[in-house]
Amino acid sequence: NAGVTQTPKFQVLKTGQSMTLQCAQDMNHNSMYWYRQDPGMGLRLIYYSASEGTTDKGEVPNGYNVSRLNKREFSLRLESAAPSQTSVYFCASSGLPVADTQYFGPGTRLTVL
Amino acid sequence: LAKTTQPISMDSYEGQEVNITCSHNNIATNDYITWYQQFPSQGPRFIIQGYKTKVTNEVASLFIPADRKSSTLSLPRVSLSDTAVYYCLVGGSARQLTFGSGTQLTVLP
C-alpha cells in the first residue's frame, strides 16, 4: 500500500496562475483533509471532506477550492495564486473524522513568485 | 475552538524520559487529545490518542488528568532519532482541528 500520495512534490507558480494539487489514498478511508504549513508554523486546515461527496471549510479556506472526486481522491485548486499561498501543502486521510488516526502524505512545496 | 499551548522547545539527552505538556483549558466534552510527531520535510505521524486517564502504546504514554485541561506526552528513553516537532491536537470535529506551533524536541548525545 502506498498510503497517501501527493503530486507534484514541488511547484513554482507566478502570481495569478492556477494549479491543482492532487491527493490520493489507498486505505479506503472516508475522510480526507488539506493542510498548509508555513515556515516555523504548525499545520492549518484548509478544507476537509468527511465522506465522499461532501466538503467543508477549515480554518483558512480563502483562495482555495476542493473536489472530492471519489473516495480515493481529493484535489486542492488554487484559481489565482498569490505569494501569500507560498507554503507546504499536506494531504491527509482518516477512517473517521478526528477520533481516528490521520495519515499524511509527503507534502507539496509550492512557491508563488 | 480548543486552543492548545505547548512549550516552544525542549532539550534532552539520550536515554532520558521526556515529558511534554499541553494545556487546553477550554476542551469540550466530546474532544479527543491526539499527539503527532513531525520530522523536517515530512508529514506529521500519529503517536498516540486519548480521551481521559492514561493511554500507553509501544512508543509513548499519554497522561490526562480528570479535568482534561492539560495532557502530558511521555517518551521513555529518547534517542537522537526522536528529535522532531511534537504537536498536541484537541478537537471533536475536523473543523476544530488545530495543530498549533508544536514543541521542538532536541535530543542531545
Side-chain angles (χ1 to χ4, degrees):
Chain A
N1 288 346
V4 179
T5 57
Q6 294 182 235
T7 56
K9 286 186 169 53
F10 301 93
Q11 184 71 49
V12 178
L13 294 177
K14 295 181 180 178
T15 298
Q17 288 185 317
S18 63
M19 79 161 295
T20 300
L21 281 65
Q22 306 287 354
C23 174
Q25 52 92 8
D26 62 2
M27 295 173 283
N28 200 35
H29 283 164
N30 288 320
S31 301
M32 297 185 74
Y33 314 80
W34 276 106
Y35 293 89
R36 62 175 287 174
Q37 184 172 35
D38 299 326
M41 306 285 287
L43 282 74
R44 291 184 291 171
L45 184 65
I46 304 172
Y47 270 94
Y48 68 98
S49 171
S51 61
E52 185 179 356
T54 68
T55 61
D56 209 343
K57 296 177 181 179
E59 182 185 357
V60 288
N62 291 344
Y64 305 96
N65 286 302
V66 291
S67 295
R68 183 73 182 268
L69 305 171
N70 48 55
K71 191 171 186 179
R72 291 187 63 249
E73 299 172 289
F74 189 37
S75 63
L76 178 72
R77 183 161 178 83
L78 287 70
E79 291 291 351
S80 179
S84 61
Q85 294 178 304
T86 294
S87 189
V88 180
Y89 291 85
F90 289 102
C91 177
S93 71
S94 69
L96 294 169
V98 181
D100 199 7
T101 302
Q102 288 192 41
Y103 294 86
F104 285 80
T108 295
R109 187 173 298 273
L110 174 66
T111 300
V112 182
L113 303 175
Chain B
L1 297 177
K3 182 182 168 81
T4 59
T5 302
Q6 305 174 232
I8 294 173
S9 63
M10 295 180 68
D11 291 341
S12 181
Y13 290 97
E14 279 191 293
Q16 289 188 331
E17 177 185 72
V18 171
N19 295 311
I20 305 174
T21 297
C22 178
S23 297
H24 27 80
N25 290 323
N26 58 341
I27 188 170
T29 302
N30 62 343
D31 285 347
Y32 282 80
I33 300 159
T34 311
W35 286 80
Y36 285 83
Q37 174 192 56
Q38 186 179 28
F39 297 112
S41 302
Q42 295 186 23
R45 184 173 70 103
F46 173 87
I47 301 175
I48 198 166
Q49 183 182 74
Y51 183 80
K52 61 180 179 181
T53 63
K54 176 183 175 182
V55 179
T56 297
N57 62 23
E58 63 276 9
V59 298
S61 294
L62 179 59
F63 299 91
I64 305 169
D67 66 6
R68 303 201 327 124
K69 292 184 183 299
S70 66
S71 58
T72 299
L73 173 72
S74 181
L75 304 172
R77 297 179 299 280
V78 294
S79 64
L80 296 176
S81 62
D82 292 317
T83 294
V85 178
Y86 292 82
Y87 295 99
C88 163
L89 272 73
V90 174
S93 69
R95 186 177 301 177
Q96 297 171 326
L97 285 177
T98 56
F99 271 75
S101 298
T103 297
Q104 171 66 59
L105 172 65
T106 302
V107 180
L108 305 169

